Each structure stands twice: as structure tokens, then as C-alpha cells.
């Protein structure tokens, strides 16, 4: 039966003047807290609840409880560690132990033994039962009453120390265990240090008493107390504690008497330690050698007691920590800043700067603000504990240190610190991600009208970080006036339980332009009063979307409609015409020779030309018409609501006139030309693709008829377009099927009458159409991007053939090869020529590259490749001179070797006296510039005679030989083409 005398009503028996029994419950489980609280209150007890062992230790340091119910397992500092620290605090304070009852769901022998070893008095199984709880509490509260002793005067406290052994066996055993664990001689060194320093400390205490230096006296007593307690010298420890406490008073007589008692206790204590030292020096009792673990975290050990530092350092090193030491506060701060330790062990009582001040200073540095600091103190009062936490310490341990408990405490603090750092890093990552995404949030409590905004939302509004507490009206003041009422209504509707779809509104940022945010609303979990709002800054997103729409639906260069916009407009127009039986015309415009302008004058000039053409087209179309740029130099005009062909023809005619006006470019004035194809709805097609095809076919017909004109679509244009497409497909296969071939036309030296070189001329041996000349497919190759491949094939084949003729014993012949302007502007041309010459072993001087005039005009970029080719030894020739843009005055600046006079000058010189004079001028000027001159297209004897008179160097043409296959060249190389042998040669050809 339970003795209910102790329990008034259901509680403890006490008179009316006594305080109620207070029980501390350390339990992390909310359900278990609730059950225990109900049971204890029903038994008449007052209860205070903490949720982990660390909080239990702090609570015990602040207040005296009658009993503690301690959960066995809790996060962080568990019940075992918390109990051990409380017992340690009681031991140093000299107070009677408080009953501590373990609460555990594990009813096994190992758990019970662990609880008892930690200093717990009893245990209760979970879930708690009222009768068992009442019986256990009654027993231990009665035992607590029997433990209480009367309070004596401070001067008499030394006398109630037990008369047992001078040294506590448990303290010695702890030091022995440290020796075993560390492989050191901690016990012998600790004893040796005490024997060496304790007599000196006593002398210093007497001197301090004589000079009445209370601060010095307290400091000496504190240090001697620690060393005595470490070795288990109970009487010395208690006397030092009393001396340290009384040093704060003016009771000098009692202090002197207490110092005498300490001196009397020192002798037997020293003798006991000397005896123990002799026993421990036995070789059989020396500690074994242990293998120390590798260094892990770095700890900074701060204490002005070298013996404590040495002992503690060995323990920490054996546990695998890297240990730094500091003997005072100034050194500690310097080393902490330099080495950034993971944890500090900081002595509370040091001269000059105590540990509390050091702790406070260290945590002011940003790099050390999150570093855990454990205060190590011999002070046994609650004020010191509170002071340690107030300075920012993460925890504390009491001297003499229970090292296993210290190591456990260090591991906990390091783990907690690492978790805190990871949490902080994750929070920073989340904030960074939110900043990048433009995310923010606000929380509004409708009961208090308190609206809290996040850091990111404050940044969006350009507000200081401290301005994060708002009312709803104040936040709404940042919302654009046109959006404010809608946002307020949405908030009210959400708090009323309605679901509101996400929406956008405008915010006015402080001293900034307006931003647009996307808002989502929702009630906080388990709350009908708290509203959560998530906002995202979508200002840039909307700007990007507008930009993307602009890029998709308008041409960036000209500002005209884009292909996408044109196709959509055409589809709408066709649908409208089908419903209303309407008619319209589609004009396809393509600039003539635009590729040559781009290649010779550069893309910048080409872009300026396109912009000028776009402006001119906009000036000639009607308001109802639609104009778009579809690709590089191709434009479309949709002419709406036409009655007949004349309306479309009028727009086309105006376009030709407007486009052909001179355009001032960097190279001078240029008259653009264009070809226009016209398709009509519904005559030429009923859908978009049919109309586009018809207009495109008509445009190519305009080009084939002489360019710079307009042509209406006819059915035969489709056949021509299909023929052009087949031609393109066949040409792509021609290289793979080895259908291309080279013919060679001799170049005759007029003075010697013999063949000095040949010009390589490409032919296409089509399987169905026969031999196709270059004029019918080279421009197509340029359009479809095959010209570089064909050009490289021609170069390689011609050089290989020239090398082959040389191996056959023929005199060295100069090989002239035509290079397309597109190929000549290819940056890899020089490397290609070098590789082919190296592969064929042909001398560079035997190769002559023929370039059209427009390649060398008005572009300095080409001059470098000219010079590089000439430095290589390759000759450069201007082909068809006189038909392009060159002037006689520009010849002096051209890095060339030869001029080829076009056939037009040769054919017209008998009919046009000006042509003959110009021919003589070209030859004379070329020779003056040290250029060689070649006349091509010579077909008549009288042409030859005139060319002789002009001192032309080389001639070629049908008068001597048509282009022939390579196997015919050896026989021609032996011929004498002039001076009587020409007739014979012609017979051979």
C-alpha cells in the first residue's frame, strides 16, 4: 500500500506555509508530455516541461526541483548524458543529489544498468500508469526528505567532510582509464604536477591573505580546487571551494583559519599521492600503447593551466581531434581567427581576460559567429552558468572534467554545428534560388492585421530588410491603383474559403519602375485566419515573351512582317477570299545579283541595301496591302482586292522603279535591281503552297528573261521550276557519280608561237542531256552551296593533270583555274591550295588562279588572301577584265600577275574605234605595271594581227584550239601555232 501521509489530497504532506512539490519532466514526445502532465497534476504536483537533455541541465542550473523525470532517449543531449552532468554539478556544489527517475520504453537489463551507472535512481516504463507513478514518487520524495541536512555556517562546512579515504577511488580510476585509452601517463603527470605546484600555491595563498588581495586569492583557490578534485582529494577540494567562495567577503579571520586547515590537509594528501605514484610506477601497471585515430576536426583548447591543457590535449588527440592550444584570451582570439577551429574549449576563469569576455569577443567575428564554444569552469554557481550562456557559449562542463562525458558533449556540439551549417547553407541556396526565380512571399494574420513579407519580396520593393512588418493596407499601397481592389477582393474571398485562381498585378517598387508579379493565395495549414501569398516577379518574363513575339512576327533587320506572320496573314486572306469570292495577287520579289554584292562588298553593306529596299517597298504599297521579308533577299507583297491583272502590275512596276533608284553605300552609289513573279488567286492556286510555288516560278522566269522585270505566272513556269529542281538534284549527285570532267584550252605565246599554258574548263557529262557547259550549272551550284566542293575538285584534278603531263616529259605548262567569288572568300582556300600542291607535287609557279573583277573591288579583306597566295608562289589573274567594276586607275593597287581581256573587246575592235584604242591602253598600262596580258576568244586571223601589234603576250581561242580532253594536250604541246604551222595545227584540232 502507498503511504499517503506524504500526499495532501493526492499530494505531498506539508504545512500551509510550504511550497508545492515541483517536478521537472524532460520528454521530447508531445503525447508522452500530455499523459505525464495529466497524471502528475492529478496527484497534486506542479510540473515544468523541457524537451531535451540540454534544456534539462539548463533548467536544473537555474532552479532547485524536488524530483526529475528524465526520458531515456531524446534528440541531442539524451537522458544519460544529462543525468551525468547534473550529478557532476551536484558533486561540485556539495548539494544532496536530487532523485532522477528514468522514463523508458525499453524494459531490459542493459537499459536499467545504463541508467543506474549514469546516476539515475529508478526507472518507470512507458506508457506511465498512475499507481506505479504514485508509488515511485512517494518512495523517492520520502527518501529526499531523509537526505536533507541542516545548513551550517560557512566556517564549519569543512568539518562535515567524510572521514573516509583521503582520495576518491572513482577519480583515480577515471585517470587510469584515460591512460589506457590514450596510451599516455596522465595519472603520473597529474600527480607530479600537484606535488610540485600545490605547496607553491599554498604559499601564494598565504601571501594573498597578507596583502588582502581577494581577486588573487579567489583565482588561486579556484585552480587548486580543480587540481584537487581531479585527483579525488575530497577534503582539499571542499576547503578550496569554501576559500574561493569566502574570498568574495571581508571575513579575513575565517579565511586565515580555512587556509591553515588547507595546509594541514595538504600533507596527508601529498603523502597519499606519493604512495599512489610509487605503486603506479610498477612496470606491470604501465598503460598499454594504443593506436591513435587520424585527425578529424580541429579544436582550440584555451586555458591558462598548462597541466589541464596537457591532460586534455592527450585525451582529445586520442579521440582523433587536431588540437591547438592557447594560454590566454588574446592568444585564443588570434589563433581562432587564423586557424578557424571547428570548436573551442574555453576556460571560464583566466587572468587578464576571463573566458566570458573571450567568448563574447570571438562570436562578434562573422567567420566565428557559428563556431560552438564549450565553457570549462570550476565555478559551481548558477550565476556562472547563466553568464556562460549569456556570452554565447553552446554548453559548459565542470572541472574536474569527466572526459568520457566531455567527448560525448564535443561530438554532440560538432554534430549540431555541422547540421546548423548545412541548414544555413540550404537556406542560402533556397534564398538564392528564390532570388534567381524572382520569388517572394507574404503572410497575413487577419486577426491582428499583421502582414509579414519575405526578404526577397522586400528586395523586389527596394525596401530595407528591417521593413518587413506591415498591415494589409500598407502592402496594398504598393499595388497599382487599378489592381488594388482586385487583390483585396481576392484576399477576402480566399479567407472566406473560396478558391481563387492565380493572377497577375503590378507593384510599384520604391524609387524604381513598376514590376509585374504573379500571385498565388492559400490558407496556412490548420488555420482559418492566416493567409499565405506567394509572388513571382514576371516583369522580365513578360518582356521576353513580347520580344519573342516580336522576333517571331516581325523581321528584325527590316521591321517588315516575318515568314510566320506572312503565312498566318495569307491563311486568313485565303479564307476571307473563299467566303466572299474575292481576288488578290501575290508578288514574289528577289534582288538580282545580291549574292555578288554580299560577297564583294560585305554583309554589312548587304544589310544596308536590304533595309533601303524594305523602306522603298513600304512606300509603294497601298494601306490594304501586306509586305513581308521571307528570307535573305526575298520579299512578298500581298495585293488585296484586285479586279484584274492591272492592279498587281501597277504595284510591281512601282516596286521596280523605286528599288532601282541609286542607293548610297560605303563603296559609292549602287542601283539595285530585282525580279518579280506574280501569282493570282484563284486563277493560279487555291491554297498557300500553290500560290507560293506559282509566284516563285514566275520570279525565276523573270530572271531567265533578263532580270529586273515582272512576269505573271504561266503553267510552263511550273515546268521550268520542276526542271530547275531536277537539275539541282542531279548536280548534287554529279560529284558522287564522277560525272564532272575538265577540258583544257591552250594559251599561245605570240612571240614563240608555242603553247605556254592551258585553262581548265569544267564540263558536266550528264547521262541524259550529254555534255553541259559551265554557264548552265555554275550559278546553280553557287545557289545551293556546292561551289566550294566543285572548286576543290577542279583544283585537285587540274593540278594532278599538270603534274601528270610533266611526268610524261611535256614542257612545264602553266595551269589556269577559275575560282568562284564565293570560293575565293572562303577562309580555308589558302590551306586547300597548299594541301593540293603538296599532294600533287606541282610547283606553285605552275598554278594560276583566275578571279573575276568584282572579287578585288572595295573590300580590303581580299587583299590579304591575294598576298598570301602570291607569297606561296601562285599566280593571280583577273578574268574577263573590262566587264566588271574595275577602272584603269585601280590596276596599280591590285596584287595580281596577269590580265585576261574579255572577248567583247576583241570582237568589237573592228567596228568600234574606241574599243581598239581602249585595248591598246589596257595592254600598255598592264605592261607598265609588269602584268602579263592574255586575250581570250580569238577566232579570226585579223584579230590575231591586231593583238600582235599591241604586243599582247598570250592568246587563246577557237582560232588555235577549242577546249579539248586531257589526252589531246601532249600532241598540241608539240605544235607551232604561228609562223606557218598554224594551219597544220588547226587540222589536227
Amino acid at each position: 500500500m502507498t503511504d499517503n501521509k506524504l500526499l495532501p489530497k493526492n499530494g505531498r504532506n506539508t504545512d500551509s506555509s510550504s511550497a508545492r512539490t515541483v517536478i521537472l519532466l524532460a520528454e521530447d514526445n508531445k503525447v508522452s508530455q500530455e499523459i505525464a502532465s495529466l497524471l502528475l497534476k492529478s496527484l497534486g504536483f506542479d510540473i515544468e516541461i523541457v524537451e531535451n537533455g540540454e534544456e534539462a541541465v539548463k533548467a536544473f542550473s537555474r532552479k532547485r526541483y524536488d524530483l526529475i523525470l528524465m526520458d531515456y532517449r531524446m534528440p541531442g543531449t539524451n537522458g544519460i548524458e544529462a543525468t551525468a552532468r547534473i550529478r557532476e554539478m551536484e558533486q561540485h556544489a556539495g548539494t544532496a543529489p536530487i532523485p532522477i527517475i528514468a522514463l523508458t520504453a525499453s524494459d531490459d537489463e542493459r537499459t536499467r544498468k545504463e541508467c543506474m551507472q549514469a546516476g539515475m535512481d529508478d526507472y518507470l516504463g512507458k506508457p506511465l500508469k498512475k499507481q506505479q507513478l504514485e508509488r515511485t514518487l512517494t518512495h523517492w520524495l520520502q527518501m529526499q526528505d531523509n537526505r536533507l541536512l541542516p545548513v551550517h555556517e560557512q566556517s564549519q562546512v569543512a568539518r562535515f567532510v567524510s572521514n573516509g579515504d583521503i582520495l576518491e577511488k572513482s577519480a583515480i580510476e577515471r585517470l587510469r582509464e584515460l591512460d589506457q585509452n590514450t596510451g599516455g601517463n596522465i595519472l603520473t603527470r597529474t600527480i607530479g604536477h600537484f606535488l610540485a605546484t600545490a605547496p607553491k600555491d599554498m604559499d601564494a595563498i598565504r601571501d594573498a591573505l597578507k596583502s588582502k588581495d581577494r581577486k588573487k586569492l579567489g583565482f588561486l583557490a579556484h585552480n587548486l580546487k580543480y587540481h584537487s578534485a581531479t585527483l579525488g582529494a575530497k577534503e582539499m577540494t571542499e576547503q578550496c571551494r569554501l576559500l574561493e567562495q569566502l574570498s568574495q567577503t571581508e571575513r579575513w579571520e575565517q579565511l586565515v583559519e580555512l587556509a591553515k586547515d588547507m595546509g594541514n590537509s595538504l600533507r596527508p594528501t601529498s603523502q597519499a599521492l606519493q604512495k599512489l605514484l610509487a605503486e603506479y610506477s610498477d612496470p606491470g601497471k604501465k598503460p598499454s600503447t594504443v593506436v591513435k585515430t587520424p585527425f578529424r576536426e580541429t579544436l582550440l583548447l584555451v586555458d591558462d593551466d598548462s597541466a589541464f591543457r596537457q591532460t586534455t590535449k592527450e585525451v582529445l588527440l586520442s579521440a582523433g581531434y587536431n588540437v591547438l592550444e592557447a594560454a590566454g584570451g588574446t592568444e585564443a582570439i588570434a589563433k581562432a581567427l587564423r586557424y578557424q577551429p571547428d570548436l573551442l574549449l574555453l576556460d571560464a576563469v583566466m587572468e587578464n581576460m576571463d573566458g566570458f569576455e573571450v567568448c563574447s569577443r570571438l562570436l562578434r567575428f562573422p567567420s566565428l559567429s557559428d563556431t560552438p564554444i564549450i565553457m570549462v569552469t570550476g565555478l559551481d554557481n548558477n550565476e556562472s552558468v547563466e553568464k556562460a550562456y549569456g556570452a554565447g557559449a553552446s554548453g559548459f562542463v565542470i572541472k574536474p572534467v569527466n572526459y568520457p562525458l566531455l567527448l560525448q558533449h564535443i561530438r554532440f556540439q560538432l554534430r549540431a554545428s555541422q547540421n546548423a551549417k548545412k541548414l544555413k547553407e540550404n537556406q542560402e541556396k533556397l534564398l538564392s534560388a528564390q532570388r534567381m526565380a524572382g520569388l517572394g512571399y507574404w503572410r497575413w494574420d487577419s486577426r491582428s492585421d499583421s502582414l509579414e513579407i519575405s526578404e526577397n519580396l522586400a528586395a523586389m520593393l527596394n525596401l530595407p530588410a528591417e521593413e518587413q512588418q506591415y498591415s494589409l493596407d500598407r502592402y496594398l499601397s504598393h499595388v497599382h491603383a487599378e489592381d488594388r481592389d482586385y487583390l483585396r477582393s481576392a484576399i477576402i474571398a480566399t479567407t472566406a474559403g473560396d478558391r481563387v485562381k492565380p493572377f497577375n498585378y503590378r507593384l510599384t517598387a520604391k524609387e524604381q519602375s513598376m514590376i509585374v508579379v504573379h500571385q498565388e493565395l492559400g490558407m496556412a495549414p490548420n488555420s482559418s485566419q492566416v493567409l499565405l501569398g506567394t509572388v513571382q516577379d514576371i516583369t522580365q518574363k513578360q518582356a521576353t515573351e513580347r520580344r519573342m513575339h516580336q522576333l517571331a512576327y516581325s523581321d528584325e533587320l527590316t521591321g517588315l512582317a516575318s515568314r510566320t506572320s506572312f503565312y498566318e496573314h495569307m491563311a486568313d486572306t485565303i479564307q476571307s477570299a473563299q467566303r466572299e469570292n474575292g481576288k488578290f495577287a501575290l508578288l514574289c520579289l528577289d534582288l538580282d545579283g545580291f549574292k555578288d554584292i554580299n560577297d564583294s562588298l560585305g554583309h554589312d553593306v548587304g544589310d544596308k541595301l536590304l533595309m533601303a529596299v524594305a523602306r522603298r517597298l513600304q512606300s509603294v504599297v497601298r494601306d490594304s496591302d501586306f509586305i513581308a521579308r521571307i528570307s535573305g533577299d526575298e520579299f512578298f507583297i500581298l495585293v488585296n482586292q484586285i479586279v484584274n491583272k492591272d492592279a498587281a502590275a501597277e504595284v510591281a512596276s512601282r516596286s521596280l522603279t523605286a528599288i532601282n533608284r541609286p542607293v548610297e553605300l560605303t563603296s559609292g552609289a549602287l542601283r539595285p535591281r530585282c525580279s518579280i513573279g506574280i501569282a493570282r488567286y484563284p486563277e493560279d492556286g487555291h491554297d498557300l503552297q500553290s500560290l507560293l510555288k506559282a509566284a516563285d516560278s514566275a520570279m525565276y522566269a523573270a530572271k531567265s528573261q533578263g532580270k529586273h522585270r515582272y512576269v505573271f505566272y504561266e503553267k510552263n513556269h511550273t515546268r521550268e521550276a520542276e526542271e530547275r529542281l531536277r537539275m539541282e538534284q542531279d548536280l548534287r549527285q554529279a560529284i558522287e557519280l564522277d560525272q564532272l570532267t575538265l577540258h583544257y584550252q591552250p594559251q599561245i605565246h605570240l612571240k614563240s608561237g608555242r603553247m605556254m599554258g592551258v585553262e581548265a574548263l569544267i564540263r558536266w557529262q550528264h547521262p541524259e542531256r550529254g555534255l553541259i557547259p559551265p554557264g548552265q550549272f555554275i550559278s546553280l551550284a553557287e545557289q545551293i552551296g556546292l561551289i566550294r566542293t566543285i572548286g576543290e575538285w577542279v583544283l585537285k584534278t587540274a593540278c594532278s593533270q599538270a603534274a601528270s603531263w610533266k611526268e610524261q616529259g611535256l614542257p612545264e605548262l602553266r595551269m589556269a583555274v577559275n575560282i568562284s567569288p564565293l570560293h575565293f572568300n572562303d577562309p580555308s582556300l589558302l590551306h586547300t591550295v597548299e594541301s593540293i600542291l603538296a599532294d600533287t607535287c606541282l610547283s606553285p609557279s605552275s598554278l594560276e588562279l583566275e578571279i573575276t573583277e568584282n572579287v578585288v573591288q572595295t573590300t580590303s579583306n581580299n587583299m590579304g588572301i591575294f598576298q598570301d597566295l602570291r607569297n606561296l608562289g601562285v599566280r593571280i589573274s583577273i578574268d574577263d577584265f573590262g566587264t566588271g567594276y574595275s577602272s584603269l586607275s585601280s590596276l596599280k593597287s591590285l596584287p595580281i600577275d596577269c590580265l585576261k581581256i574579255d572577248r567583247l573587246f576583241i570582237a568589237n575592235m573592228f567596228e568600234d574605234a574606241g574599243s581598239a584604242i581602249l585595248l591598246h591602253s589596257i595592254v600598255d598600262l598592264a605592261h607598265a605595271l609588269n602584268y602579263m596580258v592574255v586575250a581570250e576568244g580569238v577566232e579570226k586571223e585579223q584579230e590575231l594581227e591586231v593583238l600582235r601589234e599591241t604586243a599582247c603576250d598570250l592568246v587563246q581561242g577557237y582560232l588555235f584550239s577549242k577546249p579539248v580532253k586531257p589526252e589531246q594536250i601532249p600532241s598540241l604541246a608539240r605544235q607551232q601555232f604561228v609562223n606557218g604551222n598554224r594551219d597544220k595545227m588547226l587540222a589536227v584540232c
Side-chain angles (χ1 to χ4, degrees):
M1 295 293 293
T2 302
D3 185 358
N4 291 326
K5 294 179 182 179
L6 293 173
L7 302 174
K9 298 182 181 178
N10 288 345
R12 189 173 179 186
N13 188 19
T14 180
D15 57 47
S16 59
S17 64
S18 300
R20 289 166 60 86
T21 301
V22 182
I23 294 177
L24 177 65
L25 172 64
E27 170 64 69
D28 65 309
N29 186 278
K30 298 293 185 183
V31 176
S32 297
Q33 289 179 7
E34 188 68 23
I35 293 172
S37 178
L38 290 173
L39 291 176
L40 290 170
K41 289 179 180 179
S42 70
L43 293 173
F45 297 116
D46 288 340
I47 179 173
E48 292 185 14
I49 301 175
V50 295
E51 295 190 346
N52 56 56
E54 188 69 30
E55 292 181 4
V57 175
K58 291 181 180 179
F60 175 79
S61 69
R62 292 191 296 264
K63 181 177 179 179
R64 180 69 182 179
Y65 296 93
D66 295 289
L67 184 141
I68 299 176
L69 293 175
M70 182 80 73
D71 186 19
Y72 170 69
R73 295 186 185 277
M74 289 182 288
T77 303
N78 59 32
I80 298 298
E81 181 182 357
T83 299
R85 289 170 61 182
I86 289 172
R87 293 303 186 214
E88 189 176 14
M89 293 167 66
E90 290 172 336
Q91 178 183 356
H92 289 281
T95 59
I98 184 174
I100 301 179
I101 311 300
L103 302 179
T104 175
S106 303
D107 188 13
D108 57 79
E109 183 63 29
R110 186 187 65 81
T111 301
R112 289 195 294 271
K113 183 176 180 181
E114 190 176 0
C115 291
M116 297 302 106
Q117 288 178 344
M120 293 181 171
D121 297 291
D122 207 338
Y123 66 92
L124 287 170
K126 293 182 183 179
L128 293 175
K129 296 178 176 57
K130 184 174 182 179
Q131 290 184 348
Q132 183 183 15
L133 176 63
E134 183 180 8
R135 184 166 55 251
T136 303
L137 293 180
T138 300
H139 171 74
W140 286 106
L141 288 172
Q142 186 177 22
M143 291 290 293
Q144 176 73 348
D145 284 342
N146 294 335
R147 288 179 184 175
L148 296 178
L149 299 175
V151 180
H152 297 279
E153 290 292 332
Q154 294 291 342
S155 60
Q156 297 175 335
V157 176
R159 296 172 186 163
F160 67 73
V161 177
S162 170
N163 292 324
D165 294 335
I166 295 174
L167 304 176
E168 282 185 328
K169 293 181 180 179
S170 60
I172 302 302
E173 285 303 316
R174 280 197 297 269
L175 294 174
R176 290 182 191 272
E177 289 176 5
L178 284 176
D179 279 350
Q180 293 294 329
N181 294 333
T182 63
N185 297 305
I186 296 175
L187 176 58
T188 57
R189 280 203 299 272
T190 304
I191 294 174
H193 182 271
F194 182 89
L195 294 175
T197 61
K200 297 177 182 178
D201 289 342
M202 283 304 308
D203 291 339
I205 286 173
R206 297 185 187 101
D207 292 339
L209 283 169
K210 291 179 182 178
S211 60
K212 294 187 177 182
D213 187 343
R214 291 189 301 169
K215 183 177 180 181
K216 185 70 173 179
L217 183 62
F219 179 76
L220 292 168
H222 178 83
N223 282 345
L224 188 54
K225 177 184 71 172
Y226 158 68
H227 293 300
S228 300
T230 301
L231 292 166
K234 297 181 294 183
E235 188 169 353
M236 281 288 296
T237 301
E238 183 61 23
Q239 290 167 341
C240 289
R241 186 186 68 80
L242 292 174
L243 183 64
E244 181 184 12
Q245 187 174 351
L246 288 175
S247 67
Q248 305 303 313
T249 70
E250 298 288 344
R251 300 162 69 176
W252 295 107
E253 293 181 1
Q254 294 180 11
L255 288 169
V256 171
E257 289 296 324
L258 187 55
K260 290 180 180 179
D261 292 340
M262 289 172 59
N264 294 332
S265 300
L266 179 59
R267 181 177 298 176
T269 301
S270 299
Q271 290 174 349
L273 289 172
Q274 288 171 346
K275 180 179 179 182
L276 179 63
L277 185 61
E279 293 176 358
Y280 200 70
S281 299
D282 185 345
K285 294 186 178 182
K286 286 186 178 179
S288 61
T289 302
V290 298
V291 178
K292 296 184 179 181
T293 57
F295 290 151
R296 298 180 301 183
E297 294 88 347
T298 296
L299 310 184
L300 177 56
L301 175 60
V302 185
D303 200 299
D304 56 358
D305 187 338
S306 60
F308 174 78
R309 292 203 310 274
Q310 185 177 15
T311 300
T312 306
K313 181 177 181 179
E314 287 199 21
V315 174
L316 298 176
L317 287 173
S318 69
Y321 297 109
N322 182 32
V323 182
L324 304 172
E325 295 183 63
T330 302
E331 183 184 1
I333 293 173
K335 286 191 173 181
L337 289 172
R338 180 178 180 183
Y339 296 105
Q340 299 292 311
D342 298 292
L343 180 142
L344 281 87
L345 283 173
L346 180 59
D347 186 23
V349 180
M350 295 185 292
E351 289 189 294
N352 299 324
M353 188 190 307
D354 63 29
F356 306 113
E357 184 178 354
V358 175
C359 180
S360 179
R361 288 191 183 185
L362 285 170
L363 296 179
R364 292 175 194 164
F365 294 100
S367 61
L368 300 171
S369 59
D370 296 325
T371 304
I373 298 177
I374 299 177
M375 298 289 287
V376 183
T377 177
L379 302 174
D380 51 11
N381 54 74
N382 294 339
E383 181 183 355
S384 299
V385 176
E386 291 293 339
K387 194 173 181 181
Y389 284 116
S394 308
F396 67 93
V397 294
I398 298 176
K399 294 181 179 180
V401 174
N402 182 329
Y403 284 105
L405 184 62
L406 172 64
L407 294 176
Q408 186 178 4
H409 195 36
I410 289 173
R411 285 192 294 270
F412 166 74
Q413 291 293 346
L414 288 172
R415 185 169 63 248
S417 175
Q418 291 168 358
N419 291 339
K421 287 179 181 177
K422 289 180 181 178
L423 177 61
K424 188 174 182 180
E425 288 175 2
N426 290 335
Q427 289 174 336
E428 286 297 326
K429 290 177 183 177
L430 178 60
L431 283 173
S432 178
Q434 289 177 342
R435 281 192 295 270
M436 292 178 65
L439 285 172
Y441 68 85
W442 51 260
R443 178 184 183 276
W444 181 55
D445 189 334
S446 60
R447 292 166 297 188
S448 60
D449 190 24
S450 173
L451 189 140
E452 176 186 349
I453 67 174
S454 69
E455 180 180 338
N456 283 347
L457 182 52
M460 289 182 203
L461 296 172
N462 198 27
L463 297 174
E466 60 270 14
E467 290 190 31
Q468 296 181 19
Q469 294 297 327
Y470 276 74
S471 64
L472 179 59
D473 285 341
R474 187 180 175 192
Y475 177 73
L476 289 173
S477 68
H478 292 287
V479 180
H480 192 279
E482 296 176 2
D483 303 333
R484 196 172 298 151
D485 289 341
Y486 184 86
L487 176 58
R488 187 192 299 274
S489 299
I491 290 173
I492 294 173
T494 305
T495 55
D498 296 339
R499 294 181 62 86
V500 178
K501 292 183 178 180
F503 55 94
N504 301 339
Y505 60 89
R506 290 161 290 178
L507 280 173
T508 304
K510 186 178 180 181
E511 298 178 359
Q512 286 185 351
S513 58
M514 196 167 2
I515 63 173
V516 181
V517 296
H518 180 73
Q519 176 76 68
E520 292 188 7
L521 297 174
M523 301 303 296
N526 303 320
S527 174
S528 61
Q529 305 294 330
V530 177
L531 181 66
L532 302 179
T534 302
V535 298
Q536 182 178 19
D537 184 354
I538 59 171
T539 309
Q540 188 60 42
K541 178 184 176 185
Q542 287 193 341
T544 301
E545 289 174 350
R546 288 194 297 269
R547 177 62 175 160
M548 290 175 64
H549 184 275
Q550 181 182 2
L551 291 174
Y553 285 86
S554 66
D555 178 56
E556 188 173 11
L557 177 65
T558 64
L560 299 177
S562 67
R563 178 195 298 266
T564 302
S565 179
F566 171 70
Y567 284 175
E568 290 186 4
H569 187 79
M570 277 291 294
D572 293 340
T573 302
I574 291 172
Q575 288 182 358
S576 177
Q578 289 173 344
R579 288 193 305 267
E580 302 173 4
N581 295 321
K583 294 184 177 183
F584 63 86
L586 182 63
L587 278 61
C588 175
L589 297 84
D590 188 86
L591 297 182
D592 296 330
F594 181 74
K595 287 184 179 295
D596 292 337
I597 295 172
N598 240 356
D599 295 335
S600 60
L601 304 181
H603 289 278
D604 290 343
V605 174
D607 287 347
K608 290 179 181 178
L609 177 60
L610 289 173
M611 289 188 286
V613 169
R615 288 192 297 269
R616 293 177 179 185
L617 290 177
Q618 286 175 310
S619 68
V620 301
V621 299
R622 304 170 302 174
D623 291 340
S624 59
D625 298 336
F626 187 86
I627 181 171
R629 179 187 175 214
I630 302 303
S631 61
D633 61 335
E634 189 174 30
F635 300 83
F636 275 90
I637 299 176
L638 176 62
V639 183
N640 269 313
Q641 301 172 357
I642 64 170
V643 178
N644 50 42
K645 298 170 60 174
D646 294 342
E650 181 182 351
V651 173
S653 179
R654 289 201 307 264
S655 298
L656 290 173
T657 302
I659 289 175
N660 195 232
R661 292 199 308 268
V663 177
E664 290 296 333
L665 301 174
T666 54
S667 59
L670 177 70
R671 285 184 175 271
R673 295 159 56 89
C674 79
S675 299
I676 304 176
I678 306 174
R680 294 177 295 155
Y681 175 90
E683 289 88 344
D684 300 328
H686 293 82
D687 57 69
L688 174 62
Q689 293 305 319
S690 298
L691 291 169
L692 290 175
K693 184 178 179 182
D696 190 65
S697 299
M699 182 270 293
Y700 275 106
K703 286 184 178 293
S704 65
Q705 293 177 22
K707 301 180 181 179
H708 198 62
R709 65 191 63 222
Y710 65 85
V711 171
F712 281 93
Y713 171 74
E714 296 177 4
K715 289 184 178 180
N716 65 302
H717 294 160
T718 300
R719 290 193 297 271
E720 293 172 0
E722 292 173 351
E723 178 69 19
R724 189 169 53 254
L725 179 60
R726 283 195 298 270
M727 188 84 162
E728 177 183 326
Q729 294 171 342
D730 290 347
L731 183 57
R732 292 184 185 277
Q733 297 178 354
I735 300 175
E736 298 178 6
L737 299 178
D738 199 23
Q739 295 175 358
L740 300 180
T741 184
L742 291 182
H743 285 192
Y744 302 91
Q745 187 172 38
Q747 293 179 338
I748 311 303
H749 190 257
L750 281 178
K751 289 185 177 181
S752 67
R754 304 189 68 85
M755 186 168 65
M756 186 175 179
V758 295
E759 180 181 1
L761 299 168
I762 190 170
R763 302 288 187 268
W764 178 8
Q765 188 65 54
H766 195 280
E768 297 176 359
R769 304 178 186 181
L771 198 65
I772 302 175
Q776 296 182 20
F777 66 87
I778 288 299
S779 61
L780 179 61
E782 291 178 337
Q783 293 174 13
I784 63 177
L786 285 179
I787 195 62
R788 174 181 170 181
T789 303
I790 292 176
E792 290 181 359
W793 179 87
V794 171
L795 267 174
K796 187 172 184 179
T797 304
C799 290
S800 297
Q801 185 61 64
S804 175
W805 287 331
K806 187 175 182 181
E807 290 178 359
Q808 296 174 30
L810 268 69
E812 185 171 340
L813 298 175
R814 183 174 298 139
M815 177 65 71
V817 178
N818 288 279
I819 297 294
S820 164
L822 294 177
H823 192 191
F824 191 80
N825 286 323
D826 189 334
S828 64
L829 176 63
L830 179 64
H831 176 70
T832 300
V833 172
E834 287 178 326
S835 299
I836 290 174
L837 290 175
D839 293 342
T840 60
C841 298
L842 183 67
S843 171
S845 61
S846 297
L847 177 63
E848 182 174 282
L849 300 181
E850 295 189 2
I851 313 297
T852 57
E853 281 185 83
N854 59 351
V855 173
V856 295
Q857 294 303 310
T858 64
T859 169
S860 60
N861 294 334
N862 289 329
M863 298 306 168
I865 183 64
F866 271 101
Q867 200 59 52
D868 291 338
L869 289 169
R870 294 189 72 199
N871 292 339
L872 186 63
V874 175
R875 293 172 57 84
I876 305 295
S877 174
I878 299 297
D879 194 16
D880 299 332
F881 184 80
T883 61
Y885 306 106
S886 296
S887 63
L888 294 177
S889 62
S890 68
L891 288 177
K892 64 181 184 298
S893 62
L894 299 180
I896 59 174
D897 301 282
C898 180
L899 288 181
K900 293 192 72 176
I901 302 175
D902 187 74
R903 161 71 184 159
L904 290 176
F905 286 96
I906 308 300
N908 293 335
M909 63 183 175
F910 295 107
E911 300 174 1
D912 181 9
S915 295
I917 295 172
L918 185 58
L919 176 65
H920 280 272
S921 298
I922 292 174
V923 174
D924 290 342
L925 181 59
H927 285 162
L929 294 173
N930 202 27
Y931 297 161
M932 182 175 284
V933 180
V934 179
E936 56 183 350
V938 180
E939 298 180 354
K940 299 177 182 180
E941 179 89 21
Q942 60 191 64
E943 294 172 352
L944 176 62
E945 294 304 323
V946 173
L947 290 171
R948 279 186 176 188
E949 294 175 3
T950 62
C952 183
D953 299 297
L954 299 174
V955 291
Q956 72 179 85
Y958 275 47
L959 181 61
F960 308 101
S961 173
K962 65 181 180 180
V964 297
K965 294 181 179 180
E967 53 267 23
Q968 295 179 258
I969 292 296
S971 61
L972 294 176
R974 302 184 185 97
Q975 300 299 319
Q976 185 74 28
F977 286 88
V978 291
N979 294 330
N981 291 330
R982 182 173 55 82
D983 294 337
K984 181 180 178 181
M985 181 274 300
L986 289 174
V988 174
C989 295

